[in-house]
Amino acid sequence: MTSDTTVTQTITLSTREDETWWRQAAVYQIYPRSFADFDGDGIGDLKGITARVPYLAELGIDAVWLSPFYPSALADGGYDVADYRDVDPRIGTLADFDELVTALHAANIRVVVDIVPNHSSDQHAWFQAALAAGRGSAERGRYIFRDGRGEGGELPPSDWVSMFGGPAWTRVADGQWYLHTFATEQPDFNWDAREVRDDFLATLRFWADRGVDGFRVDVAHLLVKDLPAELPSQAEIDAMDAASGSHPLLDRDDVHEVYAEWRALFDSYDPPRTAVAEAHVSNPERRARYASATGLGQAFNFDLMGADFDAAQFRAIVTDNLAQADLTGSSSTWVFSNHDATRHATRYGLPPARGTGKKAGTAWMLAGAPREELDIEGGLRRARAATMFLLGLPGSAYLYQGEELGLHEVGVIPRDRRQDPAYLRCADTREWSFDGLGRDGCRVPLPWRSEGPSFGFGPRGAHLPQPAWFAQYSVEAEDADPASTLNLYRRALDLRHRLQSAERLEWVETSAPEVLHYRRPNGWEIVTNFGAAAVALPAGRIVLATEPVTDLLPGETTVWLAP
Ligand code: GLC
């Protein structure tokens, strides 16, 4: 361990109970099924994560966010939850969960879990009870059931299209229909029902009592709906103002009544539990409501995911978001990759129109491309430069497993091995927003070793096929290479603890428009050359560089300067 690491750990220990730990945390997202497989069934598990806590500690992150690990039929990779207060037997047990939390806390890593409140799995006991109890029952009242149109009710209540393509209504045996914003297996809850609200409060308490430090709230903007007797058409819905606060389906003002109750619960803990909203809303003012201190406290900002590798776009996004954070009192969040998006090394290796989307709102969800279209080295070079730009910013950084290895998206997965409903429901029609290869390519199990079954992911195979090129990106290979992306992340995450200070930055004007230079209040400086040509190197003590530097700052390179 370097002396830098020692300094960091002392600081972290002394602020263990600090209520503001989340404000500038580096949060590492683990997609449990694809992280590490302890028992050899091809699916990652909690024991696998526990066994890798030393890896996470050495990486230097402040918290992990666990994507769903609850019992699930896996119709949507676990975002179809059958029981909110248990662990999927393929992933482990509650005792394994407690063991994992203990191990992470002992390593000074906080734990954030994913909460999926808009919909359950159709396997959830409540949905099964709703099917059994029949129309008009209290059990059906927990979900959104409607009679169909047409003489015999044989037509769906409206022509709405699900987020994954295909109809948003499915008919049940007695002829009624239920609403599912996502896959058929994900019935939407009725958040007007007090019972639903109380049950989620019980779920949050359940995990908070087990020592969870915070929650990531799935599609936080969708919970509360106001459906009139006469439903508008999809075209009418699309034409409505999504920022009005009274849209029938999304981002309604009254959804914040739910989060006010959640906040009261979070604040009853010491330290208060934190939350971050995944809210796809139409403008910064609407997003700020989720980030408010009387609500969830923080909201994802996906703006950089939709940006090209471009200085002007990056600067405008950073400036806007820091101004917003000032207004809400929350801290800004920064994200390049997650389990829903094409990995950023790949996005930056594709021609701009393919790599970053132009479709408002869903731009960052554009899927991967065949490998031959990809500038593999260039994509990774730009991703390293962009990530080191991001890690210097004030606010919290959300990192996605595998990006620390510089992994590219896996573009080639046979159709019969694909799992993503967004792909399977849309692949033939290419309708709606998921018009590419879906999200499986960023969910392929991690390569820990350069050879062996499933590259060390587990003792046997992996639930999604890993390509041969994973060998060179394995933890084993990169650990041994001082210039690897893994060692770059380790160094940056270590230095970041000293770089972070007051949540501000000052832009330093540069002579070249493609170069961005900012200074933090404690004197640390970050300089990124977004252009292809080398430029003059700024004066100062370089402590980190994404490419070898001489007396010039090469193209597509970031350097950190310490005071
Ligand atoms: C969120 C999740 C995504 C999931 C969807 C439905 O967007 O991030 O993975 O498919 O919600 O739960």
Side-chain angles (χ1 to χ4, degrees), residues 29 31 65 76-77 79-80 114 116 118-119 164 182 186 216 218-219 278 280 338-340 364-365 420-422 434 439 443:
Q29 182 190 357
Y31 191 74
W65 146 30
D76 182 21
Y79 284 87
D80 46 322
D114 218 312
V116 189
N118 177 67
H119 44 267
F164 293 157
F182 295 91
Q186 292 168 294
R216 177 264 185 191
D218 191 66
V219 289
E278 184 210 23
H280 300 285
N338 66 24
H339 67 297
D340 289 330
W364 54 279
M365 282 187 172
D420 178 9
F434 294 92
R439 301 170 294 174
R443 300 175 179 181

Side-chain angles (χ1 to χ4, degrees), residues 29 163 182 197-198 200 202 236 260 279 284 286-287 291 318 322 376 389 392 408 436 456 463 471 488 539 542 560:
Q29 182 190 357
M163 294 291 282
F182 295 91
R197 296 187 183 214
D198 288 342
F200 271 92
E236 285 165 337
R286 300 300 305 176
R287 189 196 295 153
V318 169
L322 291 179
I376 293 170
F389 175 90
H408 274 281
H463 67 97
L488 176 69
I542 296 179
W560 287 13

Side-chain angles (χ1 to χ4, degrees), residues 225-266:
K225 301 173 180 80
D226 183 25
L227 303 186
E230 201 55 44
L231 296 178
S233 68
Q234 182 70 54
E236 285 165 337
I237 290 274
D238 291 344
M240 287 177 186
D241 178 7
S244 66
S246 56
H247 188 283
L249 295 178
L250 48 94
D251 191 24
R252 296 178 53 76
D253 288 343
D254 46 8
V255 77
H256 297 288
E257 293 164 16
V258 171
Y259 300 132
E261 288 189 356
W262 289 21
R263 175 46 57 196
L265 183 146
F266 296 153

Side-chain angles (χ1 to χ4, degrees), residues 477-496:
E478 296 204 17
D479 196 37
D481 172 8
S484 70
T485 303
L486 176 59
N487 281 318
L488 176 69
Y489 270 68
R490 284 174 175 160
R491 175 138 184 87
L493 288 165
D494 180 19
L495 291 172
R496 180 179 151 90

